[in-house]
Amino acid sequence: VQYLYINLKYKKRGVIMIAIVNKATCIGCGICPKVCPDVFNMYTDEDDRKAEVIAQEIPKTSVDSADYAKDNCPVDAITIQ
């Protein structure tokens, strides 16, 4: 499976958004949980560190940091639609 689809939804400007992490692209750098610990965490998958989502919905106070994590992912593994 090339993509790890995450059940991550939040309202941004009145629209429910879904985050997707490309598991094959994620290099496990740890930036996303550093900037948005309420939403992201790291886990080990077959001896590789990968990003995971720990919140089903992004708290209103974490929406900006989740966007920041997406924008600063060095391999663009996080997308929010």
Side-chain angles (χ1 to χ4, degrees):
V1 176
Q2 289 292 321
Y3 292 93
L4 173 63
Y5 290 93
I6 299 173
N7 257 345
L8 177 58
K9 299 178 181 181
Y10 65 89
K11 290 188 176 183
K12 181 179 177 183
R13 296 182 188 96
V15 177
I16 294 177
M17 305 295 285
I18 298 171
I20 302 168
V21 173
N22 184 327
K23 188 176 178 180
T25 303
C26 179
I27 59 172
C29 68
I31 289 175
C32 52
K34 286 179 186 173
V35 300
C36 191
D38 292 338
V39 176
F40 297 101
N41 193 20
M42 300 303 293
Y43 75 98
T44 302
D45 178 31
E46 299 175 11
D47 299 325
D48 290 329
R49 283 175 25 109
K50 301 289 179 178
E52 72 175 343
V53 174
I54 57 173
Q56 289 297 313
E57 292 188 14
I58 298 175
K60 288 182 181 180
T61 56
S62 299
V63 171
D64 289 338
S65 60
D67 277 334
Y68 186 84
K70 175 192 71 83
D71 292 341
N72 288 280
C73 177
V75 293
D76 295 324
I78 301 170
T79 56
I80 299 178
Q81 301 176 343

